[in-house]
Every structure is written in C-alpha cells, then in structure tokens.
Amino acid sequence: MTVSGISNLQAEIARQIVALSAEEQWAPGERVSDVALAKKLGVSRSPVRAALALLAGRGLLAHEPGRGFVLARLPSGEDEMNGVAPPSEIEDLYMRVMADRAGGALADEVSEAELAERYGATRGAVRKVLMRFAAEGLARRLRGHGWAFTESLDTDEAVAESYQFRLVVECGALRQPGFRVDPEQLANVRAQQEAVLRAPPASIRRDHWFRVNALFHETLVGWSRNRFLVQAVRQQNNLRRMTEYADFDKLSAARIHDACAEHIAILDALADGDVDFAEALLRRHIERASRDLAGED
C-alpha cells in the first residue's frame, strides 16, 4: 500500500523522524544515525534508510561524504510536512477514529468489521489502529473482534472534573516529601517549551504539541517520586489525548504561546527552589486552561 507513491511504512517512519528532530532539538548539520533511529523506533535499518533518503530528497536532510545523513532543516509547517511525507493510511485512519470518538460519533464498544465498513478500510488497518489505541490506554480488546474504548472526556462535566483532579494531583505532587527537581530534565523540558515559543504558529503540529505539553506535566509530577501520582497524571494525559487532538484546530497561537510561557515560569520558579511560587503558578495555569476551555472570561 502506498500514499502518493510513498509506502505507508516509509511515510510513517519519515514523520516519526521529523517529530523526533523537533522534540530532541536537533541542530542543522547534526548527524542522523540510521542505527540509533532503528533502535529508538523499534524497526529494522532498511525502512529507516528509505525514510532518510525520502527526507533527503525533499531537502530536509543532506548526505555528506564520510558522515552520512545530516539535518538540513525542518519543515516550515504541517502543509509542507504532508507534502514531504503524507500521513500513512494508518495515521490517517487513526486521526479519523480519534476525531469521531472525541466527537461522540463512535459507541463505547465497536467491532473491527463495523469500523472497516465505516471508514472503507481493511480489517488489518483497523486492527493496527485499535492496537495503537490500546497501547496508549485508550481502548481494550474484548473477546472475538470487539473493542471497548476507555472512558474519555466527552462531556463538559467530565472535563471539569478532570481539571479539578489535576489540580489536586499536580499541585499536590509539588508538596510530596520526596519531591526533587532533576536539573537535566528541567533543562530539556524548558528547551522544548522555548522551541515551541520560537516556532512559527503554522509549524506546530498537533502531535508534537500534545507530547510537549503532556511531558511538561508528567515531568513535574515525576519529581514527586510517587509512582501512584505519576500513574494518575499519565491516565489523565491519555484521557485528554482524544479531546485535545480533536480540538487542536480551535486552539489559538496566542494560547499555545501563553501556555509555554506559563510552563517556563513554573520551571524557573522550581529552578530557583521556590516551590510555593511554582505551585501558585501551576494552580493558576490549570485553572486558566479550564476557564479557556469552558469559554469563560
């Protein structure tokens, strides 16, 4: 199966490589190792090499004698990324199912045959998408060919309760006796937030924004050294994934900018050892996000 003459696997790996380059802050001229990427992505080197060649052919990578592939530049936006490596059949189907589930168009329980007919896809493609949902904690397999979606934030009441829960868990995490900031992690998370601030609004992709945003909140709670609090925030991030993927197009560039600025202020307060101020900023950040989503002034 191909998309615009590019194999689905090739397109999927190419997009994953670009996502990694943004998340890990690769610099122009940095060497891109097919061995390291194959290990990180859990695939063989052959499809990685094919994806690297694709990105080089589109000007995002360059091939230098004696060094191999190096980063030339990143895509200027989602439109260019789609031109370089269109979403694979699986990625496209994943997004369609995600949007329909977030919008309440899909029941709590579905069958592979039902989804295959609805989306005009093969049963194999549907199964791969559902397995991805399961890996993300968004669905579970039933006996036979049935699947059940996990609880999602599909009502205003559920969303409000989620924000109240996050206030308790995330702010409480900063007060745990074992709370300790990891300077290296703080620097990495801060660099990601700064990169989003610097990026042209059109270049910010929904998958990258979700990962950067979720990682910030997970990292803060992780510094509590409390495994149960970490599990709780990860579950909330999984629940948020559907609604935030579906609502990304409604999110203004100004709100993304403000969210990153607020994240950085919280990190700076923690770097200074001012946990009280950091907690107050985090509480205001979560409460503001809740009001914005509810459309309140």
Side-chain angles (χ1 to χ4, degrees), residues 6 14 18 40 66 80 86 133 157 184-185 275 283 294:
I6 303 169
V18 173
K40 185 167 291 190
E80 187 187 2
F133 270 73
E157 182 180 16
E184 184 176 350
Q185 289 181 348
V275 177
R283 182 175 299 278

Side-chain angles (χ1 to χ4, degrees), residues 17 26-27 29-35 37 45-46 48-58 60-72:
I17 291 171
W26 296 359
E30 184 172 341
R31 183 173 177 272
V32 182
S33 167
D34 59 341
V35 176
L37 285 171
R45 291 172 66 184
S46 294
V48 170
R49 289 196 193 106
L52 293 176
L54 167 65
L55 294 174
R58 305 301 169 88
L60 301 184
L61 300 181
H63 192 274
E64 295 185 355
R67 294 191 68 203
F69 290 105
V70 298
L71 182 69

Side-chain angles (χ1 to χ4, degrees), residues 15-269:
R15 294 177 73 88
Q16 289 175 334
I17 291 171
V18 173
L20 277 174
S21 69
E23 290 172 18
E24 298 179 357
Q25 302 290 292
W26 296 359
E30 184 172 341
R31 183 173 177 272
V32 182
S33 167
D34 59 341
V35 176
L37 285 171
K39 183 177 181 180
K40 185 167 291 190
L41 299 177
V43 296
S44 67
R45 291 172 66 184
S46 294
V48 170
R49 289 196 193 106
L52 293 176
L54 167 65
L55 294 174
R58 305 301 169 88
L60 301 184
L61 300 181
H63 192 274
E64 295 185 355
R67 294 191 68 203
F69 290 105
V70 298
L71 182 69
R73 64 180 182 83
L74 295 176
S76 59
E78 184 72 19
D79 289 342
E80 187 187 2
M81 185 65 241
N82 289 339
V84 170
S88 67
E89 175 192 11
I90 302 301
E91 185 68 22
D92 181 66
L93 182 57
Y94 172 85
M95 293 303 300
R96 293 170 66 191
V97 174
M98 180 78 79
D100 284 350
R101 175 58 184 167
L106 293 178
D108 292 342
E109 295 186 8
V110 294
S111 70
E112 293 175 8
E114 173 189 347
L115 294 182
E117 181 178 359
R118 177 185 180 92
Y119 297 105
T122 65
R123 288 274 289 273
V126 167
R127 188 174 298 116
K128 287 180 181 179
V129 166
L130 290 171
M131 288 174 66
R132 178 173 169 181
F133 270 73
E136 294 171 348
L138 301 176
R140 60 185 175 84
R141 194 166 195 166
L142 303 175
R143 287 186 177 181
H145 299 287
W147 292 78
F149 290 109
T150 56
E151 183 181 2
S152 59
L153 307 179
D154 53 3
T155 66
D156 292 342
E157 182 180 16
V159 171
E161 289 175 359
S162 172
Y163 275 106
Q164 290 299 318
F165 182 78
R166 288 178 56 202
L167 279 170
V168 173
V169 171
E170 296 187 34
C171 292
L174 272 60
R175 293 297 182 183
Q176 294 305 298
F179 185 85
R180 186 173 69 257
V181 172
D182 183 309
E184 184 176 350
Q185 289 181 348
L186 187 147
N188 289 337
V189 172
R190 195 182 194 286
Q192 289 185 0
Q193 299 295 320
E194 289 177 335
V196 174
L197 277 178
R198 293 193 303 268
S203 71
I204 302 172
R205 301 186 306 277
R206 73 181 72 213
D207 55 344
H208 179 55
W209 168 244
F210 180 83
R211 283 193 292 267
V212 168
N213 188 29
L215 179 62
F216 166 81
H217 291 279
E218 233 175 85
T219 300
L220 256 60
V221 175
W223 290 336
S224 72
R225 272 64 181 181
N226 185 310
R227 73 193 70 182
F228 300 107
L229 293 180
V230 173
Q231 289 173 4
V233 78
R234 284 178 179 165
Q235 181 194 38
Q236 284 298 302
N237 282 338
N238 282 334
L239 290 174
R240 292 166 54 204
R241 186 186 301 267
M242 280 193 183
T243 51
E244 294 199 6
Y245 263 56
D247 292 341
F248 180 79
D249 292 335
K250 305 173 188 175
L251 193 61
S252 70
R255 184 60 194 117
I256 292 177
H257 181 281
D258 289 349
C260 286
E262 291 165 9
H263 290 166
I264 289 172
I266 293 165
L267 293 171
D268 287 347

